[in-house]
Amino acid sequence: MNSNYRTFFELVREPFSSDIELDNILLTPALKGVEERIHYAVRLGAIALVTGEIGSGKSTALRYVTGTLHPSQYRTLYITASTGPILELYRQLLDALAMDMGGLSRVVMLRRIRQEIVELVQGKKLKVILVIDEASLLRLEVFAELHILTQFEKDSKPLLPIVLAGQSNLIDSLMYRSSLPLASRIVGRSHLEGVTREQMEQYLTHHLTIAGVNNNIFDQTAITGIHQGSGGLFRKANHLARGAVIVAAKQKSMTVTADHVRMAATEIF
Ligand SMILES: Nc1ncnc2c1ncn2[C@@H]1O[C@H](COP(=O)(O)OP(=O)(O)O)[C@@H](O)[C@H]1O
Ligand SMILES: [Mg+2]
């Protein structure tokens, strides 16, 4: 796809991009809700849960919350889960801890990870947070193991708060008997849904501003079209909005309308 549309609408950068910088993240009420619950769980050494449809803004919310924690006090271990066995998670954790993982047995890996976490928390006085995005992909047995991994001395305060994010079936996994010890540590749950039309309008305007456009090039029918076509979900809205901008530019129309959105919709899922 050529980028004539950027010249046509005088966009200073790719609009509706997925790699939005921390400073450009829109502070929606839902995102603030996620932030509050994560901070609460971190204070208690407990677990916060973030669920939502694909493209509802979960990963962005995690990035915002962890990105605004001061590195002199906090250390985030950020992992994107896979469907692999527990060893895979251990490897990712060692990597997040910047530790060598050459040829270690499972028992040794577990011990090293736990030692390092204790050192960071008690030695370096950091608050360590384990964030697992896409946790809905984790195998059932991994939830039970996670509990063991994050269980330290019986009496002291829990050392490792956890944030689990994923699609709604994450809840099903946590309701399994073997996951209950872990699930019993959950103190906050956020569910991200499609936003209202009004919020979608704000969202689109926000992204246009980031791309350097200060007049609203979408007319009201386009906004309604994007809201309906995306179900209020941001990622799909991005694709529809960008597609509609491209179609409008091709037709040399300075205003993006519902017709442009409809034509863009035929190209995406
Ligand atoms: N708060 C936000 N402010 C600005 N853009 C956002 C925000 N939340 C989501 N987005 C946009 O929507 C896209 C999809 O969000 P993402 O966090 O990846 O969803 P999920 O992790 O739920 O699948 C992001 O790439 C970003 O462009
Ligand atoms: Mg995500």
Side-chain angles (χ1 to χ4, degrees):
M1 198 85 60
N2 72 36
S3 57
N4 290 344
Y5 63 96
R6 282 181 52 178
T7 319
F8 185 77
F9 284 110
E10 297 178 9
L11 305 171
V12 295
R13 54 191 282 182
E14 188 67 31
F16 310 105
S17 76
S18 56
D19 53 351
I20 181 169
E21 291 103 354
L22 207 54
D23 288 343
N24 284 334
I25 291 174
L26 181 66
L27 304 184
T28 61
L31 187 145
K32 295 306 270 181
V34 171
E35 182 179 35
E36 245 170 57
R37 286 172 180 81
I38 292 181
H39 282 220
Y40 179 60
V42 168
R43 272 202 304 281
L44 296 178
I47 301 180
L49 211 58
V50 184
T51 53
E53 297 287 310
I54 295 173
S56 58
K58 301 180 295 296
S59 302
T60 306
L62 296 183
R63 210 148 55 76
Y64 171 75
V65 177
T66 56
T68 50
L69 295 173
H70 205 282
S72 67
Q73 287 178 54
Y74 296 90
R75 174 80 177 273
T76 306
L77 309 175
Y78 198 113
I79 286 172
T80 303
S82 72
T83 53
I86 184 73
L87 270 182
E88 183 56 33
L89 186 81
Y90 287 177
R91 283 196 199 99
Q92 288 179 302
L93 262 173
L94 283 168
D95 194 40
L97 288 162
M99 293 172 77
D100 188 23
M101 59 193 105
L104 299 181
S105 73
R106 171 175 170 156
V107 180
V108 178
M109 277 190 183
L110 181 60
R111 196 184 325 127
R112 292 264 171 95
I113 292 167
R114 290 166 58 93
Q115 276 170 351
E116 182 66 12
I117 290 169
V118 171
E119 166 58 20
L120 289 172
V121 175
Q122 293 177 345
K124 302 217 166 110
K125 306 285 177 222
L126 289 170
K127 293 194 177 74
V128 183
I129 306 164
L130 172 58
V131 178
I132 307 185
D133 198 2
E134 307 287 1
S136 42
L137 294 176
L138 290 174
R139 294 183 188 185
L140 266 182
E141 70 256 27
V142 174
F143 290 96
E145 289 268 354
L146 250 183
H147 177 66
I148 299 166
L149 173 74
T150 58
Q151 196 69 0
F152 293 83
E153 296 107 75
K154 321 128 222 131
D155 47 353
S156 65
K157 206 179 154 204
L159 297 186
L160 188 63
I162 307 177
V163 180
L164 297 174
Q167 293 178 55
S168 300
N169 65 313
L170 173 58
I171 306 276
D172 302 333
S173 300
L174 286 164
M175 278 170 35
Y176 258 76
R177 200 179 176 76
S178 56
S179 306
L180 286 181
L182 187 76
S184 70
R185 290 179 54 201
I186 296 171
V187 295
R189 282 163 69 160
S190 316
H191 182 71
L192 302 186
E193 294 181 319
V195 299
T196 62
R197 187 193 176 284
E198 192 190 346
Q199 287 173 322
M200 183 55 78
E201 181 161 5
Q202 277 172 16
Y203 176 80
L204 295 171
T205 307
H206 178 76
H207 270 269
L208 283 175
T209 310
I210 296 170
V213 183
N214 291 314
N215 55 324
N216 204 346
I217 58 177
F218 292 104
D219 77 2
Q220 290 298 316
T221 67
I223 292 165
T224 300
I226 293 168
H227 179 241
Q228 290 179 350
S230 65
L233 297 170
F234 292 148
R235 185 172 309 142
K236 192 151 183 201
N238 284 349
H239 294 326
L240 275 176
R242 192 187 313 107
V245 165
I246 292 170
V247 174
K250 259 191 208 144
Q251 301 182 352
K252 308 245 178 297
S253 165
M254 285 307 291
T255 307
V256 184
T257 68
D259 283 334
H260 302 133
V261 176
R262 261 192 293 278
M263 289 176 72
T266 61
E267 305 244 3
I268 65 176
F269 278 91

